[in-house]
Amino acid sequence: MVWMRALALVWVLFGAIISYVFGRFLGKGPTPEARERLLGDVMRRACERLGATFVKLGQILATRPDIVPVGVTISLARLQDDVATAPFSEVIAILASELGANRSRIVTIDPTPVAAASVAQVHRGVLDSGHEVAIKVQRRAAEMQIERDLILMRLFAVMLSWLPRMKYLSIPEAFDRFAAALRAQLDFVTEANNNRKLARNFASRERVRLPTLEDALCTKR
């Protein structure tokens, strides 16, 4: 439920503030650079605990040293491909539900992911044809969690727009663009189509090589 998610957000954010204050008390931020790193580490851990939506937000902030201190962006940059991984049992369950009978085409899967980010993680695998593949699997709770978070964030964006100094920043419109981009990342069929289009566009370039997609194994998740 949305209200339970709201409570969880408040709890994690409160814990992050306490963690930062406690870190300062222990002397972990004696210099401005150290304080930035401490703040970045606290923000990164909070984003990981809050899940896909906030990991994505952290990834965006990591690319904006113009609005976020450099020391913070360095820590947040780890969210690009070094997020806490989902249990391997969840990966197997999603593959079974998404692929059905085609699941048997995947002969082996490395339980340790190559990379893990906000919405999905990637595992090495081998097909029955002998081809080595990269298997991108969406996190089980990603879609539900993102939709709940977007409801809360949209409400917050509208409330911010009521403030006199904020009404000219078009915060709800900026949020809507963020929400649309995030929802698009939940549909791996669209991503697969984009990869095919990219392959067609570079088909005549000998130096550009793109991985081949296994069409029967490409689903929404």
Side-chain angles (χ1 to χ4, degrees):
M1 297 178 67
V2 175
W3 69 269
M4 293 182 64
R5 179 59 175 170
L7 289 178
L9 294 178
V10 172
W11 178 254
V12 172
L13 293 176
F14 177 74
I17 294 172
I18 295 300
S19 178
Y20 177 74
V21 172
F22 192 64
R24 289 290 305 277
F25 178 76
L26 292 178
K28 293 184 178 181
T31 65
E33 293 78 12
R35 286 193 290 272
E36 288 181 6
R37 289 194 297 270
L38 173 62
L39 178 59
D41 288 340
V42 169
M43 290 174 63
R44 176 179 52 79
R45 289 194 296 268
C47 287
E48 288 183 335
R49 291 188 62 187
L50 291 173
T53 314
F54 289 87
V55 169
K56 180 57 62 179
L57 186 60
Q59 291 173 345
I60 294 173
L61 291 176
T63 65
R64 297 299 305 271
D66 55 323
I67 61 176
V68 179
V70 174
V72 174
T73 63
I74 292 173
S75 183
L76 292 179
R78 293 177 57 186
L79 295 173
Q80 301 290 352
D81 59 4
D82 190 23
V83 180
T85 61
F88 188 57
S89 58
E90 289 186 11
V91 173
I92 296 299
I94 291 173
L95 288 174
S97 64
E98 287 289 305
L99 300 180
N102 282 327
R103 165 64 181 88
S104 61
R105 290 196 55 198
I106 304 176
V107 179
T108 61
I109 307 173
D110 187 345
T112 303
V114 178
S118 57
V119 173
Q121 58 191 51
V122 179
H123 293 256
R124 289 188 177 91
V126 178
L127 300 183
D128 53 4
S129 62
H131 291 151
E132 294 185 1
V133 291
I135 307 171
K136 184 175 181 179
V137 184
Q138 190 172 126
R139 294 175 183 268
R140 183 174 61 181
E143 184 171 10
M144 179 180 64
Q145 192 177 75
I146 285 173
E147 290 301 331
R148 287 186 300 184
D149 288 344
L150 290 179
I151 292 173
L152 295 171
M153 293 174 74
R154 184 66 167 78
L155 177 61
F156 184 65
V158 171
M159 292 173 64
L160 278 179
S161 69
W162 292 342
L163 298 176
R165 294 185 178 182
M166 297 290 185
K167 63 181 180 179
Y168 299 111
L169 297 180
S170 301
I171 293 178
E173 290 77 7
F175 165 79
D176 289 340
R177 291 192 293 271
F178 169 75
L182 190 53
R183 288 190 174 105
Q185 292 190 18
L186 291 170
D187 189 350
F188 291 174
V189 172
T190 299
E191 182 176 330
N193 290 333
N194 291 337
N195 286 343
R196 295 185 185 98
K197 184 182 297 184
L198 185 66
R200 289 195 299 269
N201 291 341
F202 285 91
S204 61
R205 303 292 183 90
E206 294 183 358
R207 291 189 174 185
V208 179
R209 300 179 62 187
L210 297 169
T212 301
L213 296 174
E214 290 286 339
D215 292 334
L217 303 181
C218 293
T219 70
K220 182 179 179 181
R221 301 177 67 194

